[in-house]
Amino acid sequence: MKAADPRGGRPNALPVLLPFALPEDRAAARLRPAHLWLLAALALVAVPAWAQGGAAALSPLEVVIKWAPLLLTGFAFNVAISLMAMAIGTVAGIGLGLAMLAEGRILPRLAWCATQVFRNVPWLVLLFFVMFLVPFQVTVFGVRVPLPDWVKATFGFSLPVMANVAEIVRGAVRSVPNTQWEAAESLAFTRRQTLWRIILPQCAKRMLPPWMNVYSLIAMATVQASIVGVTEMLTLTAQVHAAEGGRPELFAPLYGFALLCFFLYCYPIDRFTAALERRFETR
């Protein structure tokens, strides 16, 4: 569109505002940093999310392999508790069993009553009994000795072991023929000498298979310590399951791993016990 020049009447071209445009290379140069910042922001958000998603996406087998060292540590603690409880219960059970065989009336009856009580009470009840009645620490000659939960649990498990071992000792001694006692008496042996030198050595092979059966039972029962706060394999299994987000598909593999550990530990004991029974012919 032309316009007249006010000085000479000559038409002039009016200025026209064109749309703002940049060359393609300059536009790309200006927009490229914005794209880079956007990609960087997306990366900062996506990388942690991907990492969390990758950890949660572990297969059940990978989760078991990942936590196996920790779970096996807890299983070793179960084994340690069972061994200590078995040692304490065996020593106390031998004494209780011999008390049932003592001469007189009062001591054998008291020993028999104690044996029947601890044999016929649920092990979990005995465990709670010890956990809540035994103090957290004792003072010996002015020195405070702490009693952690696993120590009290060990004593709790040793009580049924004591009662069962006492019954094993009593039954083994009673199974020896009376002729052994009569022969020892004819040789001027005292009752104590007859018991320790003649009778009990013959009872060893009779007592060993049932004693091993009791140990298998106490080893499997140590998982009950998790109920009273002892950190053993079952407790660690529950903690691992919670740490993995409580995924339902992990429940069977994790607890199946605990089942497998106890089976692999107790089954050879059962087979060895059966072999001893066949060898000693104590069935």
Side-chain angles (χ1 to χ4, degrees):
M1 181 178 180
K2 301 295 182 177
D5 190 349
R7 293 174 297 180
R10 184 179 177 182
N12 255 344
L14 293 176
V16 179
L17 294 178
L18 298 175
F20 180 79
L22 290 175
E24 293 184 1
D25 54 346
R26 293 180 61 188
R30 292 194 179 187
L31 293 177
R32 190 177 297 118
H35 291 167
L36 292 179
W37 283 108
L38 180 60
L39 292 176
L42 291 176
L44 290 176
V45 175
V47 169
W50 176 83
Q52 294 178 1
L58 291 176
S59 67
L61 180 60
E62 290 174 335
V63 171
V64 172
I65 294 175
K66 172 185 175 182
W67 295 101
L70 178 64
L71 297 178
L72 290 176
T73 302
F75 177 71
F77 194 54
N78 284 87
V79 174
I81 291 176
S82 66
L83 291 175
M84 290 185 290
M86 197 67 191
I88 297 172
T90 298
V91 174
I94 291 175
L96 188 62
L98 294 179
M100 287 192 293
L101 298 170
E103 296 179 337
R105 294 183 178 180
I106 298 178
L107 183 60
R109 290 183 179 180
L110 291 177
W112 181 85
C113 290
T115 301
Q116 297 306 314
V117 168
F118 290 123
R119 279 192 69 202
N120 297 283
V121 172
W123 292 13
L124 187 59
V125 174
L126 291 176
L127 187 60
F128 274 102
F129 183 83
V130 173
M131 292 295 294
F132 289 108
L133 293 184
V134 174
F136 293 99
Q137 62 181 13
V138 294
T139 303
V140 181
F141 301 109
V143 179
R144 292 183 178 180
V145 180
L147 296 176
D149 290 341
W150 68 268
V151 173
K152 294 191 287 185
T154 301
F155 281 104
F157 286 122
S158 66
L159 293 177
V161 172
M162 175 190 68
N164 284 277
V165 170
E167 188 63 26
I168 290 172
V169 171
R170 187 199 65 81
V173 172
R174 293 297 188 190
S175 67
V176 177
N178 290 331
T179 55
Q180 299 290 324
W181 292 91
E182 295 171 358
E185 186 178 359
S186 66
L187 294 174
F189 280 87
T190 64
R191 180 178 176 83
R192 179 176 298 179
Q193 290 175 333
T194 303
L195 185 63
W196 287 98
R197 296 185 180 183
I198 299 175
I199 303 301
L200 287 180
Q202 297 182 56
C203 294
K205 66 180 182 180
R206 291 176 168 85
M207 292 188 295
L208 187 57
W211 181 85
M212 295 180 65
N213 282 330
V214 173
Y215 176 70
S216 296
L217 293 176
I218 202 68
M220 291 183 289
T222 53
V223 297
Q224 297 179 4
S226 63
I227 303 176
V228 293
V230 179
T231 304
E232 43 76 59
M233 188 175 193
L234 199 63
T235 306
L236 293 176
T237 302
Q239 293 176 357
V240 167
H241 187 246
E244 290 294 331
R247 295 161 54 191
E249 66 271 17
L250 295 179
F251 185 85
L254 288 174
Y255 285 92
F257 181 72
L259 183 150
L260 180 64
C261 289
F262 279 97
F263 174 78
L264 294 178
Y265 182 73
C266 295
Y267 182 73
I269 297 176
D270 176 73
R271 293 296 86 201
F272 185 57
T273 302
L276 289 178
E277 289 177 347
R278 290 191 298 267
R279 179 179 177 182
F280 296 147
E281 296 181 357
T282 57
R283 289 187 177 182

